[in-house]
Amino acid sequence: MAIVYEKMWLGTKKRAGLPMIGYEYLLSQIPLRMPPLDRPARVRPVTRVERMPGLLAVPRHVAPAPSAPVLEHVLFALKHEGSRLDILHEALKRVPADELVRALVAQRLGAYLRRAAFIWEKANGEVLPLPWDSTGGNYIDFFESGRYYTGPQWERSRKYRVNFNGIGPYEFCPVVARNAALEQRGQAVLERLRTWVSDPQNLGVLDRVMNWAYLSETRDSYAIENETPAPDKERVFLQAMEELRDQRPLSEDYLVGLQNLVITSAIKQEQAVRRQQNWLQRGGHGALAVRYLPPPPEEVGDLMNGLMRMANAREGNVPPLVKAALVSFGFVFVHPFMDGNGRLSRLLAHHSLSFQGALPTLSGNPAILPLSVAMKRHEADYLAALESFSRPARQLWDVTYIADNEFLFDFRSTPLVYAHWSGETAAEFVARCAEQALAQSLIDETVFLQAYDRAYQQIDREFDLPNRTINLLIQWIHQNNGRMPERRRSAHELLLLKPPQIERIETIVRDRFSRDDNARR
């Protein structure tokens, strides 16, 4: 039914005199459901191609003619709208081989034609019968490095003189346009983290802060799943976090081992990536309760191989936090296990940063940014970032409710939608979480412990009190905005203290904490 309504809507647009161009036209020719465009190209009374809110404005003389074939719209989309590989792959199945060969003969060195031919052969599983062994000309990168973040040279086509240099290989290649502001923010966070670790003034508390960060990351990663980890779960997740120091490349065996660590129930532990369909469900009735469907099980192996190759690549110009976001979100989109995917996806963000050498070390372990703490504080934003992909992906499936927890699932799209997606929302979200994890978790915790230690030392010098009593006094006073709570004044720990002494202790605590608060500001 969704396809019928979509075709009716597109037909209405045509009748209204608004010709579709570029990717929007290609979508009308593809007999599959596909995720919608964020910024469709539209003919507008402009003199040059301009990005406008919600659309790409195109002069009429630049747009393909109303009678233009699919190939012209492919070339227009590549040139002006960027790389939507999932759409290009399916659209080029609609281009006859002889039409593309004629175009190449007429314009042998055309960069966009060569890129299109490179994808055509992948999409059709055939070889274009060119009259020469190669088009010749200089090699061109599929992704222009000034426009996109790029990875290593995954493939080198001698026939078309094209280097496929995506963030990942063709089998799993999210796309992120270069963003100077985002890049600078990520670099600033990581530089500030290194400065924090190397600052001699922090030396006395770093181990305690990092122990807190590892424990908080563990607890909040479970809390996002609405779970409170039992001591054994907490312990094994911490063990998995500590294994980040080994910087092991991702492999199926390694991921299965991690899944077995974070899922302590033997029934739910996996031996390989899934071979059955899973889904995410929330409150609701029938098929409406199914809110996300990851790719069909027969596609998971290829997608995961591509994702792991992307994660393990060290070459390219992808900023570390962007790469970590793509690995983490890409993993949860594929959902390769029946349980534990969310926790593993957050763990893999740390793995990616450690594997890339982006984190300083402290006592032999990576100094992590507790991202899950920030994600838990901003769960609505985290859900929105996930749903920017999962919500349109859900519309690619027909779901039929049978009974209880039984459904029939019919995938009406191409698995490439799980491989070729825009990573900009994920990258922005992880950058924000990293900034908050550093400022609101690590640095705040450092300042707190330093103030706590100074207050403790001064109270210990001036008063002959047990250690436990000093700790309780600091906690009570600090938590009550620098004043001893009235309900605590009768506590047996205070029986030997006179009111002036309590006032003096209050002053010490207020002074130490307010001084460090001012220094932080």
Side-chain angles (χ1 to χ4, degrees), residues 27-47:
L27 286 176
S28 74
Q29 302 301 303
I30 295 171
L32 296 172
R33 296 183 196 173
M34 301 292 284
L37 301 171
D38 293 329
R39 194 183 299 270
R42 303 279 169 77
V43 174
R44 289 292 185 268
V46 293
T47 58

Side-chain angles (χ1 to χ4, degrees), residues 154 168-169 172 249-256 273 300-313 323 327 331 337 348 351 355:
W154 300 101
F172 194 93
L250 295 188
S251 66
E252 184 173 354
D253 287 345
Y254 179 46
L255 290 173
V256 167
V273 297
V300 172
D302 287 343
L303 287 166
M304 284 304 300
N305 285 339
L307 186 151
M308 291 186 292
R309 290 178 67 198
M310 177 190 77
N312 295 338
K323 183 75 166 287
V327 173
F331 182 89
F337 299 118
L348 289 181
H351 176 278
F355 186 77

